[in-house]
Structures are given as C-alpha cells and as structure tokens.
Amino acid sequence: MNTETNLAAVVDWEPPMPPTDLIFDDGEPLESNRHRIAMNVLIRSLQQFFTGRNDYFTGGNMFIYYSSAQVRNRDFRGPDFFAVLNVDGNNSRQGWVVWEENGRYPDVIVELMSPSTAAIDKGIKKNLYEQTFRTSDYFVYDPFDPKSLQGWHLDDNQQYQLLTPNERGWLWCKRLGLWLGTSEGTIDRETAVWLRFYDVASNLVLLPEEAAAAQAQVAVAREEAAVAQAQAAVAREEAAIAQAARLAAKLRELGENPDFL
C-alpha cells in the first residue's frame, strides 16, 4: 500500500461508536426486602441532606456501563447505592453510562452484602471500584449483620486503605463529608439495625418522613410554648387582680375607701 493510500485510510477511519443497545434491568431482585429498604434509606436520606441542591446524582441497583467490552461480555455492575458529585442532577437516567457522563464514575459506593455475595463485594467488586472506577470511598454492609460494616478510602497512590472506625464504630466518608454508622429502628414496618448517615456533629441524617415528623414536633412544641405563655400571662393577671382585691379589703378594714386612693 502506497503513502497516499495510507493517508486516505487514516482520513477515512472513524473511532468506533459506543454501544447504544444497553439494557437497564436484568430482572434480578435485591437479596431481600431488608436489602431494598436499606438501599432506599441511603438514597432518600442523602437526598434529604442535599435538599435544594441539583449538583449530584444518587441511585441504587442501577447498571453502571463503563466500557464496550463490558457490554459485549454482559458483565453488568449495579452497585446497591452510589453517589456522584458535581454533575447535573436534573438529568433523567435509567442507569449510569460513563461515556455519556463525561467519563465520570461514582464517587461513593455502598454494597449491601449477604453471605452469598460477601466474597465478591470484598474481592472482585472492590478491585473494580479501586482500579477502574477509582471510586473515592467504598463501603460494604450486611443488613442482617450489624457488625459487618467495613470501608476503604482511595489514597494518593490510588490504592484502597481500610478505614478505622471511631469509638462508635462509624466510618468517615470523606467524599460526602458524612459518617456512615448504624442505627436500630423500624422503617417500612421492618425493625433492624440500619446503615445510616450522620453529619459532622454526629446528628442522624433524617429521611424525609423523619424530617417532616421532627418539624411537626417542633411546631407542636412551639404551639405548646405559646399556650403556656398565654396561660402564664392570664395567671399573672389573675394574681394581680386578686392581690388588688386583698389590698382593697385591707384598706376597708382600716376605714379607708380604696376607690378614692
């Protein structure tokens, strides 16, 4: 092939287009109802924490597409929870397609383990999130095992370092600026030890319904305080009237007419 033919071949070459025949549902349910609730707790509480912000996306049990080879091999990866910061949160997404997101990968991932997935979550997936995704913070937790929480943070050498829990057993998620810890309670009629976010002041990051209930309690407390203040004012007025009546009676005993004083 001569030089002109080579040049023509270069000019005519176009990079392969990314696949467009993506699927976003493999029909596989989460491990259990508790796993589903645990996923929604993380998503909805983070949305509540970021109320008013549109510069993030958080999802769960959604496919993340990151390469054509992955699509060809049908090597689906759908973290139970993930968050991406500094992106347009208003975009509608069926999944997270890296080449449609300016090459952005999740900043934080949480996998909700079970005995059958623990080895993969702490092995193959952990390696993928470290070496390919470069996800800053990665956590695993089994909703049926309150002592199973573990986490890793990507260091300056792009390697995961195991996080050390604080005195409460919480792990710091540097990318979100939040703690990940546990809290026992009943959510969606299921009582368990749930994985929850806590802010820097160690306050529980509330779900929308918890925040609404807290606001309602504050409103009730304010109303009760206003009623108590009004009752105290009435009591003071009644005490003043009673004191004036006693003084008038005393003056009358002394032969004085209080109406002319």
Side-chain angles (χ1 to χ4, degrees):
M1 184 178 293
N2 58 35
T3 303
E4 290 183 358
T5 303
N6 287 337
L7 288 175
V10 170
V11 171
D12 291 339
W13 181 85
E14 292 183 358
M17 296 299 293
T20 57
D21 56 339
L22 305 179
I23 66 171
F24 295 99
D25 183 5
D26 60 0
E28 291 293 329
L30 288 167
E31 288 284 329
S32 68
N33 184 56
R34 185 176 296 185
H35 282 78
R36 178 188 62 80
I37 296 172
M39 177 190 73
N40 288 331
V41 164
L42 293 173
I43 294 172
R44 297 175 68 243
S45 61
L46 189 64
Q47 290 173 337
Q48 176 65 29
F49 183 72
F50 283 157
T51 296
R53 289 180 53 174
N54 291 312
D55 61 343
Y56 75 98
F57 178 80
T58 182
N61 201 31
M62 297 170 60
F63 289 154
I64 294 179
Y65 285 106
Y66 57 92
S67 77
S68 298
Q70 171 213 8
V71 177
R72 289 194 302 271
N73 296 333
R74 300 178 66 83
D75 182 20
F76 304 124
R77 287 289 177 255
D80 295 318
F81 167 88
F82 69 94
V84 192
L85 304 181
N86 302 315
V87 296
D88 187 351
N90 292 318
N91 288 348
S92 178
R93 299 171 171 94
Q94 290 182 280
W96 190 263
V97 184
V98 169
W99 55 85
E100 293 179 357
E101 302 286 353
N102 297 316
R104 290 296 310 280
Y105 288 85
D107 293 301
V108 179
I109 289 177
V110 177
E111 292 288 4
L112 298 169
M113 300 185 298
S114 67
S116 64
T117 68
I120 294 174
D121 292 333
K122 292 190 283 187
I124 295 173
K125 285 189 176 181
K126 175 173 168 285
N127 292 337
L128 175 70
Y129 301 154
E130 174 190 46
Q131 298 169 15
T132 301
F133 286 22
R134 303 296 187 191
T135 293
S136 177
D137 296 285
Y138 175 50
F139 302 89
V140 295
Y141 180 69
D142 183 343
F144 289 91
D145 182 359
K147 297 181 180 180
S148 63
L149 178 60
Q150 287 184 281
W152 298 265
H153 177 71
L154 203 65
D155 66 13
D156 293 337
N157 295 319
Q158 302 299 298
Q159 294 180 337
Y160 273 150
Q161 298 300 325
L162 185 66
L163 293 170
T164 302
N166 67 3
E167 66 281 358
R168 299 183 180 183
W170 301 353
L171 300 177
W172 179 244
C173 180
K174 184 176 181 179
R175 195 72 182 90
L176 293 178
L178 294 170
W179 292 98
L180 264 174
T182 56
S183 176
E184 185 173 4
T186 302
I187 301 175
D188 291 350
R189 298 184 299 176
E190 179 144 0
T191 301
V193 178
W194 304 104
L195 187 62
R196 300 294 300 263
F197 290 114
Y198 294 84
D199 65 18
V200 292
S202 299
N203 298 309
L204 180 67
V205 175
L206 302 178
L207 292 162
E209 59 269 27
E210 292 173 335
Q215 290 175 351
Q217 289 179 348
V218 170
V220 169
R222 287 176 177 170
E223 184 176 351
E224 291 176 345
V227 170
Q229 289 176 351
Q231 291 175 339
V234 170
R236 288 193 297 269
E237 183 177 357
E238 291 175 345
I241 292 172
Q243 185 178 15
R246 289 194 297 271
L247 179 58
K250 187 66 175 178
L251 289 173
R252 290 189 182 95
E253 289 178 2
L254 297 174
E256 300 285 348
N257 185 349
D259 296 331
F260 293 98
L261 294 178

